[in-house]
Amino acid sequence: MAISPSGDEIFYTLQYLGGRGFSTIMQVKKINGKWAKPEVASFSGKFNDLEPAFSPDGNKLYFVSNRPLADTATKTKDYDIWFVEKRSNRWDVTKNPGTPINSHKDEFYPSVAKSGNIYFTKLMGENDEDIVVCKFQNNKYDTAVSLPAPINSKGAEFNAFIDPDEKFILFTGYKRKGNYGTGDLFISFR
């Protein structure tokens, strides 16, 4: 679930796992102090879309999708990070930021800092899923780099939330040494 910085808009993932399974992003707006009825987000509903996350200023919404790169294509692809921008109080067309954020592997769980750095999850090297960062420098993204230990381990780390000022990160650790359950929540301070 993603709550807008202004607190008047919520996006969340709705999944149906029966049959072939389906995932869509729902939107709820607060109008005149009351929450309206949830509806499928204007940019969602055709492909598997999930894991919405606002930019710190609330003008972009990042999400994950298996939608094809071309609007006219119907065949899905691996999961990539996508975004939509708010223009004239409406969400515009979806955009795929391309490489180096997205690759031939799945990318999941985006979280963006004020600096423009984007944190997300992907399979990296010998480890299971890692939390990685693509730093935004000189108006472009650098190659994805796994965050160091103690954040990443030989287990799986995912579903990160980065503080907008990058002072701390919240994440899920799965099959980590010292876990209390199968998957636990962790916080790490910079």
Side-chain angles (χ1 to χ4, degrees), residues 73-84:
T74 56
K75 186 177 179 196
T76 59
K77 64 181 294 312
D78 67 305
Y79 285 93
D80 279 351
I81 293 172
W82 291 73
F83 69 91
V84 289

Side-chain angles (χ1 to χ4, degrees), residues 62-97:
Y62 291 82
F63 64 99
V64 173
S65 181
N66 70 343
R67 64 186 59 211
L69 293 175
D71 287 340
T72 57
T74 56
K75 186 177 179 196
T76 59
K77 64 181 294 312
D78 67 305
Y79 285 93
D80 279 351
I81 293 172
W82 291 73
F83 69 91
V84 289
E85 293 181 87
K86 192 173 253 189
R87 298 195 192 283
S88 301
N89 212 25
R90 296 181 57 102
W91 294 102
D92 204 8
V93 297
T94 59
K95 296 178 184 173
N96 183 308

Side-chain angles (χ1 to χ4, degrees), residues 4-189:
S4 67
S6 59
D8 61 357
E9 204 168 12
I10 297 174
F11 288 87
Y12 62 93
T13 303
L14 178 66
Q15 290 183 311
Y16 170 72
L17 300 178
R20 291 181 25 207
F22 188 71
S23 178
T24 192
I25 295 178
M26 302 294 291
Q27 177 182 15
V28 183
K29 291 182 181 180
K30 189 185 275 188
I31 302 169
N32 298 325
K34 293 189 177 196
W35 290 104
K37 184 179 174 184
E39 7 181 270
V40 175
S42 61
F43 55 86
S44 191
K46 189 174 178 185
F47 301 100
N48 281 335
D49 301 325
L50 59 155
E51 302 164 358
F54 276 98
S55 61
D57 65 6
N59 290 325
K60 283 186 182 178
L61 185 78
Y62 291 82
F63 64 99
V64 173
S65 181
N66 70 343
R67 64 186 59 211
L69 293 175
D71 287 340
T72 57
T74 56
K75 186 177 179 196
T76 59
K77 64 181 294 312
D78 67 305
Y79 285 93
D80 279 351
I81 293 172
W82 291 73
F83 69 91
V84 289
E85 293 181 87
K86 192 173 253 189
R87 298 195 192 283
S88 301
N89 212 25
R90 296 181 57 102
W91 294 102
D92 204 8
V93 297
T94 59
K95 296 178 184 173
N96 183 308
T99 58
I101 293 173
N102 293 314
S103 68
H104 66 282
K105 296 180 180 180
D106 292 332
E107 288 80 26
F108 292 106
Y109 310 108
S111 185
V112 182
K114 286 180 188 174
S115 64
N117 294 345
I118 184 166
Y119 293 74
F120 56 98
T121 302
K122 75 185 303 177
L123 292 173
M124 296 290 283
E126 296 175 10
N127 291 347
D128 206 337
E129 293 180 322
D130 270 2
I131 298 169
V132 301
V133 62
C134 281
K135 292 189 176 184
F136 189 70
Q137 301 181 89
N138 302 318
N139 268 347
K140 64 180 185 163
Y141 283 101
D142 290 341
T143 302
V145 175
S146 291
L147 297 182
I151 294 169
N152 285 312
S153 71
K154 291 188 187 234
E157 286 75 30
F158 53 90
N159 206 5
F161 167 79
I162 190 68
D163 166 62
D165 294 316
E166 299 173 276
K167 292 181 180 178
F168 66 88
I169 188 169
L170 292 164
F171 63 95
T172 302
Y174 181 71
K175 295 184 180 176
R176 285 174 66 104
K177 185 176 181 180
N179 272 24
Y180 293 105
T182 309
D184 292 346
L185 293 177
F186 292 85
I187 188 167
S188 179
F189 294 92

